[in-house]
Amino acid sequence: MIFFPSRKNFYLFVLLISLITILSALYVEFVLQYKPCKLCIYQRVPYICAIIFSFLGFNYFKNDNILIILIIIFILSAILSGYHFGIENSFFDELSSCSNNSLEPSNKKELLESLNKNMPVSCKDATFKILGVSLAAINTILSVLIVIISVRKLGYEKN
């Protein structure tokens, strides 16, 4: 494979991509002050797992099971972020835990109290975009690309 001559370099690549992804999400949340929805938080879990397994893979690079685990992690990441992207574009219904439909105050006092509360962000609203593309869409594309590269890497080494 041209881009990744060794499996060790591949694990290093996945480790760096996962670290950059997590750090970027934290930067957007805490520095830029964009509040994430629940699905945005859930989408971080596969990247945290990928950091752990790519670190293990870097040290035990001859073990195929670690690469297979990474493939499964990024398939799950693609499904989760694809679902989130589908919610943003009204392909799927929003989860009840993601919606902020509880904001139906009957008077001004309730409205002020609800605004002061820490209201959940709706999963439909892509509050932060890069070049007009939501982070869920970028995550879906990135996860699918890592799965394709991982499967090619595994197949390339088997032949």
Side-chain angles (χ1 to χ4, degrees), residues 20-64:
I20 289 168
T21 302
I22 291 294
L23 291 174
S24 298
L26 293 174
Y27 177 80
V28 168
E29 180 179 357
F30 293 109
V31 176
L32 300 180
Q33 299 292 314
Y34 285 92
K35 189 174 176 190
C37 70
K38 287 187 180 186
L39 282 177
C40 291
I41 300 292
Y42 297 155
Q43 288 177 70
R44 296 175 188 179
V45 174
Y47 285 97
I48 293 168
C49 293
I51 289 169
I52 294 166
F53 282 102
S54 50
F55 179 77
L56 288 172
F58 185 78
N59 293 308
Y60 304 102
F61 56 91
K62 293 184 181 190
N63 188 341
D64 284 346

Side-chain angles (χ1 to χ4, degrees), residues 61-146:
F61 56 91
K62 293 184 181 190
N63 188 341
D64 284 346
N65 292 336
I66 295 174
L67 185 56
I68 292 169
I69 290 170
L70 275 176
I71 292 169
I72 293 168
I73 286 170
F74 281 104
I75 287 173
L76 293 173
S77 177
I79 291 169
L80 183 60
S81 57
Y83 178 66
H84 190 190
F85 178 73
I87 289 173
E88 289 176 350
N89 292 289
S90 301
F91 298 138
F92 306 117
D93 291 331
E94 188 174 19
L95 296 172
S96 61
S97 63
C98 268
S99 67
N100 54 7
N101 292 337
S102 60
L103 183 64
E104 294 180 16
S106 59
N107 60 37
K108 292 178 186 179
K109 183 179 178 186
E110 285 182 23
L111 177 62
L112 287 173
E113 286 176 9
S114 65
L115 290 174
N116 289 331
K117 289 182 184 175
N118 200 4
M119 297 298 293
V121 175
S122 173
C123 294
K124 279 186 177 182
D125 302 328
T127 56
F128 184 81
K129 294 182 178 186
I130 299 174
L131 299 174
V133 181
S134 74
L135 295 181
I138 293 170
N139 189 6
T140 304
I141 294 166
L142 185 61
S143 296
V144 169
L145 287 174
I146 291 175

Side-chain angles (χ1 to χ4, degrees), residues 1 4 7 10-11 14 64 66-75 143-159:
M1 209 164 174
F4 308 108
R7 190 180 283 195
F10 173 74
Y11 287 125
V14 173
D64 284 346
I66 295 174
L67 185 56
I68 292 169
I69 290 170
L70 275 176
I71 292 169
I72 293 168
I73 286 170
F74 281 104
I75 287 173
S143 296
V144 169
L145 287 174
I146 291 175
V147 168
I148 291 169
I149 293 169
S150 300
V151 169
R152 286 197 63 197
K153 182 74 180 156
L154 189 62
Y156 177 78
E157 290 177 355
K158 294 292 180 191
N159 294 331

